[in-house]
Every structure is written in C-alpha cells, then in structure tokens.
Amino acid sequence: MPLEAECISPDRLRGKTAAEVAAEMVFHGNRQVPLGEFFQIDGQADDGEIVVEGDCSRVKWMGAEMTAGRILIDGHAGMHLGSEMRGGVIEVLGDAGDWVGAEMRGGRIHVRGRAGHLVGAAYRGSRRGMRGGVILIEGAVGNEIGASMRRGLIAVGGDCGDFPGVSFVAGSIFLFGSVGWRPAAEMKRGTLALFGPCPPLLPSFRWACDYRPVFIDLYLRQLRAWGFQPAQQDFPGHFRRYCGDLVSLGKGEILHWTGGSASGRANLP
Amino acid sequence: MLLRIANGTVYDPINGIDGEVRDIWILEGKVVAGPPTDASGQPLAPDKTIDCTGMVVMPGGVDMHAHIAGPKVNLARKMRPEDKRKARVVKRTPITRSGTTGSVPSTFATGYLYAGLGYTTAFDAAIPPLSARHAHEEFHDTPIIDKGFFVLFGNNHYVLKQIQAKEPERLRAFVAWLLSAAKGYAVKLVNPGGVEVWKEGGDNVHGLDEPVEFFGCTPRQIITGLAQAVQDLGLPHPVHIHCNNLGLPGNWVTTLGTMQALEGRRAHLTHIQFHSYAGGSDDQDTFRSRVPEVADYVNSHPNITVDVGQVLFGETTSMTGDGPLGYYLHKVTGRKWTNADTEMEAGCGIVPITYRDKSFVHALQWAIGLEWYLLVQDPWRVAMSTDHPNGGSFLAYPEIVQLLMDRTYRQEVLKRVHPRVLERSVLKDLDREYSLYEIAIITRAAPARMLGLPHKGHLGVGADGDVTVYTPNPDRRAMFELPRYVIKAGRLIVEQGEIRAEEYGRTLCVTPEYDAGALPDIQKWFEAHYTIQFANYPVDESYLSHGATIVPCRVDDRSSRRKMAGES
C-alpha cells in the first residue's frame, strides 16, 4: 500500500522538531496516519536539508511543490517525486518511480538510478509539462518523458522508452542511451539531442544539415559540473539536424550525434 | 411541520412586497398565510422559529439556464482532469457526500453549491432526448435543488421533416410526445438547422433563410414552427432559443431577425450576450456592441424575454449543443475539443476557455452582458445567468449582483479591462443601479415567471417553502455569496454556508396532451432510423426517484387551440 508523503519537503518541515515531524499526517491508502509510524525521525530540518533512508519506492509525492532546500534520498523514491517543484535540489541514490518532476518549474532533480514513465511530463489534461528546472536521470527511463514540456532540461543516461518529448512545446531533452519509437512526435519547438543510436524518425521530420551547435558544449560542460556521469565522455564532431514535427508547428529539432564531419551531403533516413 | 421565519425584511416581487418587515409561515413545505388554528380556534405555535430580524428574506433563487447534468456536462468533467486537480474539494461529512468543484462540479457538489448560494431551483438547458436517462440519473445524485431540463428540438430530424412537409399538427404531437417521453420541461432550440448542417459534414448555416440540406427547410421555419407548436400546447415555458451564429461578429442581425420572425409568438432568447455583436466576420477591428438596438426591440415587444449569459473573467469550460460553435472555439483558442453527434437529435461541442480582462474580445463580451442587464428597462424580462459554465460559473452570481448594484465598483472594473471596450460599448455611460427588489426579480421572480412555475420564485400562499435569508451588507457580493439561512421546502438546509440537512429536490417536468393518432407515424420513422427500440425509448417513472412535480400546461391556450382546430 503506497504512502502519500508530500510533507517530506524542506518547506513543510522547516522549524519543526523531530516529534512534530513524526506527527505530520500522511495518507496510507485512504487513511491518514502520522509519518512517525513509518519513519524513525531524528535531527531537525531548519537547515533545509532532509535525508531519507531506506526503500521508499512506495512513498509518493516526496518534495512535491518544494521551493528551496535539499532532499537526499538514500534508496529508491516513489511516484511524483518533486512534482511541481519550484526550487531546491532532490538527489536520489537509487531508482525513482513515474512522474519524476512532473510539471516542475525550477530546481534540480538528480536520480542516480533509473526512473519510470512520464518524467517531467504534463499531468493528464494539462497543457504544459515541465516549465523550468533540470531533471537528470543516470539510468534508464520509461515512455513519454517530457510530454508537453515547455522549458527546462531533461538528461537521461540510460535507455529511453517510446515517445520521448511527445508534444514538446519547448525546452531540451538529452538522451545518451538507446531511444524507443517516435521521439518528439508532434513537437512544436525544442531540442531533442540523441548521443546514442538514432531510432527511425517519423516521416514528418526532415534532415536540415550537419553541424556542431555551440550550445551543446555549454550544456555538456554544465552537465559535467553537476556530476552527471554519462556526459563525462567527449562528443566530438558533428550532429545531424532534423526539423519537425511537420504535422505540428515544425520549429523543433532532433540533433543526432554522428561524430562525422559536415562535408558532403548526409544520407537521408 | 410549521416553520415561522420571523421579522425578516421581505422582498417578494411577484406579490409586490418591497422590503416589508413580516413573517413567513411554512406548513409542510408550502407557504401559508399564517399559523393554522386548533380545534378551539387558537393559532398553533410554530415547531420552529427562525428569527430574521434585520435580515433580508427572499424566495429561493431560480437558475433558468445552466448546464448541470447529462452527457455533455459529464464529458466535460472527464475531459478536464486539470480543471479538477487544483480546485477546491468538497469533503464528505456525516450528512453530505464528497465531490469535486472546478468549472464543472460533480453532481453532489452542484447541489450543495447551488444551495449554499441560496438557489433552490435550476434547469439544465440542453439535453438530447436520447440521453434523458443520463440527465435524470445525474439529477438523482444532485441534492437539495428542484431541477428539470430543456429538450433539444431544433435539429431533430422528425421536427425538420414535419416542417418540410408542412405538418404542424404532427409536429405539435411529436413535441408533446417527446417532452413526455424524456420527462423534460421545455423546448430548446440550439442553432436551429445549423447543427444538422454541421453533422452532415457541412459548415453551418449563416442566416435565417439559408436552407438546411436534405430537409429543405430554413432556420426561420424551424423557429416559427416550434414557437407555434409550443404556444399551441400551452407549455409553461415558451420556446427557448439559442440563436444561429452565436459568438460571431455581426450576429445581432440574426438575433434581431429571429425576434422579428417570431411575429408576436412568445419566446425566450437565451444567453443573449453572445448574440449581440456587430462587426465583420474576419475583422476584429469592427467588433462592437449592438445591445442598444436589440434591447430596444426587446423593450417594445413583450412576447420576448431574455437571459444574459454574462461572461466573467477566469478559466471555465464552454459546452454547447451547438456543434459548429465548439469547432469554431477550438480553432480560435487552439485548445482541446470534444465533438459529439446524437444520431437523429443533436450535436455537441466542448472546449476549455479562459476569459481574460486584457483581451479586447473577452472584455467586450463582459461589458455587453452588463449592458443587457442595464438596458432592458423591465427587469421582469431579463434573467440573471452566466450560461453556467459557458460564461462563468453560477458561483459568480454574487459578483454580477455587485456589478449591477454598485456603479462605482462597475466603473472601477471597467477601468481595469481592455481600454477599447470604452469606445465599443455604451457601458461607461450607464449609471443605472439595481435595487434589492430588482435583484430579487432577476434572480428568482422573473425566471420563475418566465418558466411558468406557479409555485416558485415567490412567497405567497401556496408557494413552495423555498426561502433564502441574507445578512445585509453594503458589500453586495459578500452578502449574496454567503446567505445566513437557506430553507428548502420548509426545512432549514444551509446555515451560514454549512449544510445542516440533506434533502433531495423534485424533478420538474411537463406532460402535455397530444393526439395519440400521431404515434404510429412517429414509431414507423423511429424504428426505421434509431439505434434503440421505440418501446425502450421513453424514460419511465423509476427515474423520478425523488419525486416529480408536473407543471400544468395553460388550459386557456389549450382550449383556444381546440377552438381554433374546431373552426378550421
């Protein structure tokens, strides 16, 4: 039975004693119970730092709507981690569930392991997904990451499922592993950069040119500064640029790192 | 149970009472003149007395045009989880059920919210008869208020066929049969002819005399044919018309044409705000208000009543039986869209919409709504509505009251909206202010009278014991947002925003008489075209599980109709 613990957030716990934190109510299924029934709590949270230890893969909503501070999760995290967060840092040493950083507006989430589906996505019915901030996933992710994303950066080190960046409005997604079907389908604007193998693209993406965008190096440098392991290697040479999605506005791009030079005409997919 | 509402300042316009201090007595749910006497001639003591000294007492509010039940409302709920996610949640209590709010509240929440606002009666304005069961099922779960719905007729194939064949008797019988079969209350026209054209793969009709393909009739013929049928049947509410060309610049010509086409027949033109625009269709620069011209016509033609369909700024959901309008809004706003087609009967469009005060078009729509309230001289002819949720939620009614009762506030808001509104409407020149008496008219007495509800909208002897008590406050919005007491059928239901008892209101419907000789033809047509069996179509009594009030058709009209038939 999952636990809904949006109270595990620096904003909510700041200024509270361990006993007060233990008395915070969380939903366990459809019943409200104190947080202390599930966690042993010590220390105080005035510095805005929270460390969560243990397997929390069924603990949902940690860090939701947080605006500042830091949460370190030494273990797995459940669904909706950092949902709608506006600032601060969440670090997960294990895996995270679905909806990591859904509709987030600022701050940074760094997951050392894998994450589920719909990372940085729009909730059902919403017009916009992630609107700012950074989500770094070192392992694999599921489908529809960055769905309807509007701004910000998602970087994924491992393999990625289908439809990354579906209905992309703007922003950046960097994928360093393999990629499933139909990346960036219905994208309006934005950048989907592929550093691993390029899957078959939709016919509504057109090859534009081969070149070395300047911003790629700035982004890679920043990713390295954040300690994002997959970006440690060099990616020299050119990227193949495809425009799309032409069934939509068509002002987006898929960049695929080929490492080649720009001379000569590229082979169309 | 005998209830005494003591010493309140009563506003009861139907009985001409304008702010008199008096008692209201309610016995077994109905208003009585005073306490009954016992065997020895002594007046009985009330079982309960509510002291309303210094408070304002009005009949319970009547919302004559809203969208609160049925398939399109439910589709809107399903289509917009994002509207629900951040909206206030109605929590379960020992006596009430939980629910969600947002622009389209869930069924239980709808009942509680209406009651909390002092409204005790509401009508859903557009139900395809094939979906009448769904509407009744939702009504079953809509507590407190009495409710009914209008049945969509304006694009019904059988109606169009009878108009084409010039068979008014058959049309009249069909109207009566279908209203009874659906257990509906009134005849609604939505973009007559236009929805059918859209459903056939066309665009729309753009004027009253454009033919409806395959049926060889025109919107004008549909309007006059149904207005006549409704009048002949003596239905309590006249034909309820959503005109052609809703929302389009230049549509005031169509609206005025519709009024003229009625040639004296009674009709109610709904959400008239959306139908009073001047300008060229592709040129926003010419978009402006034409309320003075259309309101003049209404002022001089007592056969016509209107409700406003006021726009208020904020996020809401547009839902309409006007299929092509849904598509138009989807194209204009670029937002998600539901389109639906109810086989022989109707269409539907649902699109989320955000009205912004800095948008010229939206601000002008807001101003045009207010112009309607202020330019119709006789408040008995204009009812308050937001066309919930199309122009805004019914929860915005207190804001409208404030705008109407306080011209300083109105001018302040006018200063904040898009500046071009000042030159494109006459709102800045209108300094009329509504009195409490007039507010009581446009929120309860007039809608009840327009709907032909003899037992609603007043506190005279025999009326339903639906009473709203307000705490007087110069801030009219605060006053109307939070009634002190709401009494439904003689029971205290709401006290200062808290639900004290859960009660289920009755369904309001009509059962007009018709010539059974018309049935075989209807059945033949029905069985040739419908997806369900004729015998399974009518809604049975079990759907009126909280009881029904059958509002009588006007006998004088019926007898005059018989006389007319005898003469011919």
Side-chain angles (χ1 to χ4, degrees):
Chain A
M1 177 108 47
L3 210 60
E4 301 198 353
E6 61 275 20
C7 62
I8 302 181
S9 154
D11 300 85
R12 299 278 298 270
L13 299 186
R14 188 171 284 126
K16 292 196 166 123
T17 63
E20 285 170 334
V21 170
E24 285 279 325
M25 299 304 276
V26 294
F27 269 101
H28 182 230
N30 63 358
R31 287 167 198 277
Q32 279 201 299
V33 290
L35 186 63
E37 273 196 23
F38 293 91
F39 290 90
Q40 190 185 333
I41 294 154
D42 51 43
Q44 47 82 38
D46 276 355
D47 56 358
E49 293 252 339
I50 299 170
V51 178
V52 182
E53 289 173 352
D55 179 3
C56 293
S57 52
R58 287 176 186 225
V59 182
K60 299 180 181 177
W61 303 103
M62 285 189 286
E65 296 184 24
M66 71 185 265
T67 61
R70 184 165 177 273
I71 304 177
L72 173 67
I73 297 163
D74 188 357
H76 303 316
M79 289 162 76
H80 307 286
L81 175 78
S83 152
E84 293 185 64
M85 75 186 271
R86 288 167 180 271
V89 177
I90 299 176
E91 200 160 345
V92 183
L93 301 185
D95 301 335
D98 300 335
W99 302 105
V100 172
E103 296 194 14
M104 77 187 278
R105 287 154 187 267
R108 192 168 80 245
I109 301 175
H110 194 154
V111 178
R112 302 283 176 187
R114 295 168 298 165
H117 304 297
L118 293 148
V119 172
Y123 280 117
R124 297 303 184 208
S126 287
R127 281 201 286 173
R128 301 278 180 266
M130 175 176 184
R131 274 160 262 194
V134 176
I135 303 176
L136 309 174
I137 313 282
E138 306 227 346
V141 293
N143 301 329
E144 292 186 45
I145 66 158
S148 299
M149 154 174 192
R150 171 70 182 77
R151 196 176 285 122
L153 169 66
I154 299 175
V156 176
D159 295 340
C160 175
D162 299 336
F163 284 107
V166 60
S167 303
F168 220 145
V169 182
S172 307
I173 299 179
F174 282 29
L175 303 177
F176 291 86
S178 71
V179 179
W181 285 6
R182 295 167 191 156
E186 211 195 11
M187 85 190 301
K188 285 184 169 170
R189 289 176 225 89
T191 299
L192 179 68
L194 310 176
F195 294 84
C198 188
L201 299 184
L202 287 166
S204 46
F205 283 84
R206 290 272 169 77
W207 175 74
C209 64
D210 286 1
Y211 76 132
R212 176 83 188 175
V214 176
F215 81 91
I216 286 280
D217 293 303
L218 297 173
Y219 270 57
L220 288 172
R221 194 187 303 164
Q222 183 61 59
L223 286 171
R224 286 177 201 128
W226 280 321
F228 184 68
Q229 292 304 320
Q232 299 304 328
Q233 115 182 47
D234 276 340
F235 296 93
H238 284 85
F239 286 76
R240 188 158 292 179
R241 182 180 195 271
Y242 299 92
C243 296
D245 183 336
L246 299 175
V247 298
S248 179
L249 186 66
K251 291 189 175 179
E253 61 180 4
I254 294 178
L255 298 172
H256 176 228
W257 177 64
T258 58
S261 70
S263 60
R265 188 174 158 78
N267 294 320
L268 291 175
Chain B
M1 156 136 164
L2 180 62
L3 174 72
R4 176 184 171 215
I5 300 166
N7 288 323
T9 310
V10 177
Y11 293 83
D12 180 8
I14 286 181
N15 296 301
I17 299 167
D18 180 7
E20 288 171 32
V21 176
R22 54 166 69 200
D23 287 358
I24 304 288
W25 292 83
I26 301 171
L27 179 65
E28 310 304 344
K30 293 277 183 187
V31 177
V32 290
T37 51
D38 61 12
S40 62
Q42 291 297 310
L44 288 174
D47 299 304
K48 184 179 172 77
T49 300
I50 300 175
D51 179 18
C52 293
T53 309
M55 294 183 196
V56 169
V57 174
M58 291 186 185
V62 178
D63 194 346
M64 72 180 300
H65 188 111
H67 299 275
I68 53 171
K72 122 182 91 38
V73 174
N74 212 36
L75 254 174
R77 293 184 186 118
K78 289 194 280 190
M79 176 181 155
R80 299 208 60 202
E82 79 283 8
D83 185 40
K84 300 280 180 192
R85 191 155 60 90
K86 295 283 174 181
R88 187 170 69 88
V89 170
V90 175
K91 292 216 166 124
R92 185 172 60 172
T93 73
I95 53 164
T96 60
R97 304 272 292 255
S98 60
T100 59
T101 61
S103 59
V104 193
S106 57
T107 50
F108 288 97
T110 300
Y112 302 140
L113 292 171
Y114 261 121
L117 204 63
Y119 274 70
T120 51
T121 309
F123 282 82
D124 189 286
I127 299 294
L130 189 57
S131 307
R133 270 188 185 77
H134 183 170
H136 285 295
E137 280 164 350
E138 289 201 15
F139 278 170
H140 175 87
D141 285 351
T142 306
I144 304 173
I145 54 172
D146 287 348
K147 58 261 160 181
F149 60 75
F150 306 159
V151 178
L152 292 169
F153 274 91
N155 295 281
N156 184 300
H157 287 192
Y158 195 81
V159 168
L160 301 184
K161 270 170 66 96
Q162 301 321 311
I163 286 169
Q164 179 185 29
K166 304 209 166 27
E167 290 274 6
E169 287 81 14
R170 215 176 250 175
L171 174 63
R172 192 161 63 223
F174 179 73
V175 168
W177 170 77
L178 190 58
L179 273 176
S180 307
K183 304 229 178 317
Y185 188 76
V187 171
K188 173 79 182 294
L189 273 63
V190 169
N191 185 4
V195 178
E196 176 53 29
V197 170
W198 162 253
K199 281 167 59 174
E200 287 296 336
D203 158 27
N204 201 342
V205 295
H206 306 92
L208 291 172
D209 298 306
E210 232 171 79
V212 180
E213 218 176 331
F214 305 118
F215 290 97
C217 60
T218 63
R220 182 186 302 278
Q221 290 166 330
I222 301 169
I223 293 163
T224 52
L226 281 168
Q228 189 63 44
V230 170
Q231 194 155 310
D232 292 346
L233 288 165
L235 294 179
H237 185 49
V239 65
H240 194 100
I241 305 174
H242 155 148
C243 295
N244 305 94
N245 290 334
L246 185 148
L248 301 179
N251 65 7
W252 74 286
V253 180
T254 311
T255 310
L256 200 60
T258 303
M259 293 177 180
Q260 288 159 344
L262 289 162
E263 291 170 338
R265 297 176 188 92
R266 287 183 65 214
H268 179 86
L269 272 71
T270 188
H271 39 67
I272 193 81
Q273 176 277 125
F274 288 112
H275 301 276
S276 321
Y277 309 150
S281 53
D282 298 319
D283 188 4
Q284 210 189 75
D285 288 343
T286 56
F287 189 49
R288 64 180 304 129
S289 160
R290 280 285 182 195
V291 181
E293 289 85 346
V294 192
D296 262 359
Y297 190 89
V298 173
N299 283 331
S300 56
H301 291 79
N303 58 315
I304 292 167
T305 55
V306 300
D307 69 89
V308 172
Q310 177 69 36
V311 156
L312 293 126
F313 304 119
E315 171 81 25
T316 191
T317 308
S318 148
M319 57 176 74
T320 173
D322 194 343
L325 170 68
Y327 178 65
Y328 171 78
L329 287 173
H330 161 65
K331 295 307 266 184
V332 168
T333 61
R335 297 184 65 177
K336 57 186 163 183
W337 167 50
T338 294
N339 180 56
D341 171 0
T342 310
E343 38 189 280
M344 304 296 118
E345 300 182 343
C348 167
I350 307 167
V351 180
I353 190 162
T354 309
Y355 290 108
R356 291 176 296 115
D357 56 1
K358 300 301 176 205
S359 151
F360 165 57
V361 172
H362 298 165
L364 189 60
Q365 290 180 306
W366 170 86
I368 287 172
L370 293 175
E371 284 181 341
W372 267 105
Y373 288 111
L374 300 169
L375 287 171
V376 173
Q377 285 150 10
D378 179 3
W380 288 98
R381 310 264 306 286
V382 55
M384 184 179 289
S385 78
T386 56
D387 188 13
H388 163 85
N390 284 297
S393 166
F394 61 80
L395 295 172
Y397 291 162
E399 163 77 8
I400 303 176
V401 170
Q402 168 95 345
L403 286 163
L404 296 179
M405 292 191 75
D406 182 348
R407 65 170 162 257
T408 321
Y409 174 69
R410 192 162 70 223
Q411 296 299 339
E412 269 171 28
V413 181
L414 187 57
K415 274 180 208 149
R416 288 205 298 270
V417 306
H418 194 286
R420 238 191 304 166
V421 170
L422 292 175
E423 52 186 90
R424 300 297 176 84
S425 74
V426 298
L427 186 61
K428 64 174 184 311
D429 306 320
L430 301 176
D431 53 9
R432 178 173 167 195
E433 282 184 338
Y434 268 63
S435 64
L436 272 179
Y437 186 71
E438 288 175 314
I439 290 294
I441 295 175
I442 65 169
T443 55
R444 39 258 296 152
R449 190 175 269 183
M450 291 170 192
L451 288 161
L453 293 169
H455 57 305
K456 294 288 181 190
H458 71 107
L459 298 172
V461 173
D464 278 2
D466 299 353
V467 186
T468 307
V469 181
Y470 300 99
T471 312
N473 185 339
D475 179 348
R476 299 302 185 182
R477 184 170 45 196
M479 170 174 166
F480 281 87
E481 256 171 8
L482 195 61
R484 182 73 188 83
Y485 303 108
V486 181
I487 291 135
K488 174 73 180 34
R491 278 182 81 194
L492 178 62
I493 301 290
V494 182
E495 206 175 331
Q496 200 72 19
E498 298 284 325
I499 309 271
R500 294 285 182 233
E502 190 165 58
E503 158 114 12
Y504 281 84
R506 300 168 72 80
T507 300
L508 298 157
C509 53
V510 292
T511 50
E513 284 174 16
Y514 58 92
D515 173 12
L519 276 182
D521 187 64
I522 297 173
Q523 180 165 4
K524 194 168 141 232
W525 165 80
F526 193 101
E527 288 179 346
H529 298 291
Y530 263 84
T531 52
I532 72 168
Q533 291 295 311
F534 184 68
N536 294 337
Y537 187 70
V539 176
D540 66 60
E541 296 290 328
S542 68
Y543 282 82
L544 306 174
S545 38
H546 297 304
T549 301
I550 295 166
V551 178
C553 298
R554 282 192 317 280
V555 181
D556 54 329
D557 279 27
R558 273 219 311 271
S559 55
S560 64
R561 190 189 87 227
R562 287 207 191 93
K563 207 160 62 190
M564 277 161 53
E567 278 164 10
S568 65

